[in-house]
Amino acid sequence: MEFDNSFEVPLPVGNAWKVLMDIRRVAPCMPGAELTDVVDERTYKGRVGVRLGPVALTFAGTVKFEEIDEANRKARVAAQGSDAKGRGAANAVASFHLEPAGDGTKVLVHTNLTLSGAVAQYGRGVGIIQMTAAQIITQFANNLKAQLAKEGGPIAAAPATSSAAASPAPPHQSPTPAQQPAPPAAKPISGFALMANVLWGFLRRLFRRE
């Protein structure tokens, strides 16, 4: 199945690109995700958990950048993982690109997802997989914004004109991303809240037809 999502980052395109390409930095912002190993500059191993009501799924696998176009701020990522309890597997290819949006950046993501085994059953019906993806992207964006606001440095450095020349300030050097303490991994998306949103979306579409 294929679907599109988007989110915004409160940084200019160049700054947003650097932040998003720093996997160690942004991985903890992904709901239920944990980075477990860095194979090389383009390949990472990790786990991600999603809870759908009473069913908790944990996928362990590999994420690899297949293409990085820094000039055009585009990239393609391939991910594959298997459920820890043997209930199936997931393979996804996600392409994303960045474009200016006011003072910030809009990130557009196109995902091609294939599920196999028992987990494929959860993608049927009223589009629960698409809704899950939308919720994950939204929570990721909120977590990333909160992290940037907490760090302070990246947002303060975002404008093209330097603020140091405009107003002298006491010398202070913000910690580099490597020095920044990693935020705790976000909790898995709640299946109960997800189902409520799915039901609400279904009712809205139903009433629009009448």
Side-chain angles (χ1 to χ4, degrees):
M1 67 184 73
E2 297 186 37
F3 44 89
D4 296 283
N5 301 100
S6 65
F7 62 95
E8 294 190 2
V9 180
L11 295 173
V13 173
N15 296 52
W17 173 262
K18 292 178 181 178
V19 170
L20 292 173
M21 295 301 290
D22 188 346
I23 301 301
R24 297 175 182 85
R25 184 180 184 184
V26 301
C29 297
M30 185 65 68
E34 179 186 1
L35 183 65
T36 59
D37 188 25
V38 178
V39 179
D40 55 46
E41 293 182 353
R42 293 196 175 198
T43 310
Y44 305 85
K45 291 184 178 182
R47 291 188 292 266
V48 60
V50 179
R51 177 175 291 278
L52 301 178
V55 181
L57 301 172
T58 301
F59 292 96
T62 303
V63 176
K64 183 176 182 178
F65 281 95
E66 292 187 330
E67 180 182 343
I68 298 177
D69 184 352
E70 188 167 355
N72 295 305
R73 304 293 194 258
K74 296 181 179 180
R76 186 175 67 247
V77 180
Q80 56 182 1
S82 300
D83 176 63
K85 295 184 178 180
R87 290 169 292 187
N91 291 274
V93 176
S95 301
F96 65 89
H97 69 276
L98 283 60
E99 60 183 35
D103 295 331
T105 298
K106 187 173 185 179
V107 184
L108 297 100
V109 186
H110 178 78
T111 304
N112 189 337
L113 174 67
T114 302
L115 299 175
S116 59
V119 298
Q121 302 297 323
Y122 304 126
R124 297 180 178 177
V126 292
I128 194 170
I129 295 299
Q130 289 91 334
M131 184 64 74
T132 302
Q135 293 246 336
I136 289 175
I137 289 292
T138 298
Q139 188 170 324
F140 169 78
N142 291 337
N143 292 340
L144 180 59
K145 291 176 184 177
Q147 180 182 334
L148 293 174
K150 183 178 180 180
E151 293 175 359
I155 294 183
T161 56
S162 173
S163 59
S167 57
H172 172 72
Q173 186 173 3
S174 298
T176 62
Q179 296 171 325
Q180 291 285 357
K187 295 180 180 180
I189 292 292
S190 167
F192 296 106
L194 179 62
M195 288 305 297
N197 285 330
V198 170
L199 180 59
W200 174 244
F202 174 75
L203 291 175
R204 289 178 62 184
R205 291 193 297 271
L206 180 64
F207 284 116
R208 285 199 192 106
R209 298 192 188 103
E210 296 181 354

